[in-house]
Amino acid sequence: DAAGEFEDDRARIQPGDMSLLIVDNDAGFVRFLRDLARQHNFKTLITAQGSVAVSLAQEYKPTALTLDLRLT
């Protein structure tokens, strides 16, 4: 799971925070999106697994998400 490789903000998300769910396994792109999101005051949730993404979306109800459509 990419969350193990990349620090995300799931432990710091509070009600009312804007959040971005990043579903991708490309390390460089994940870092780019995470850093850009944080610059725009979004907290991030990161995973490379579709099943984990569904669970994160249900639990945290992110404001936005990015999804690698070719995720293997």
Side-chain angles (χ1 to χ4, degrees), residues 24-49:
D24 205 302
N25 60 356
D26 179 321
F29 192 60
V30 167
R31 273 193 289 282
F32 169 77
L33 286 175
R34 182 197 59 201
D35 294 348
L36 184 63
R38 287 175 173 172
Q39 289 173 13
H40 291 276
N41 299 314
F42 278 79
K43 303 269 177 75
T44 58
L45 301 155
I46 302 170
T47 186
Q49 299 175 2

Side-chain angles (χ1 to χ4, degrees), residues 1-68:
D1 186 1
E5 298 174 34
F6 302 101
E7 177 193 347
D8 69 11
D9 302 307
R10 67 184 76 187
R12 295 181 290 278
I13 294 176
Q14 299 295 316
D17 285 346
M18 295 187 303
S19 59
L20 173 65
L21 173 56
I22 301 169
V23 187
D24 205 302
N25 60 356
D26 179 321
F29 192 60
V30 167
R31 273 193 289 282
F32 169 77
L33 286 175
R34 182 197 59 201
D35 294 348
L36 184 63
R38 287 175 173 172
Q39 289 173 13
H40 291 276
N41 299 314
F42 278 79
K43 303 269 177 75
T44 58
L45 301 155
I46 302 170
T47 186
Q49 299 175 2
S51 60
V52 175
V54 171
S55 295
L56 289 171
Q58 291 173 333
E59 182 177 350
Y60 292 94
K61 312 253 187 296
T63 309
L65 69 88
T66 64
L67 173 63
D68 180 352

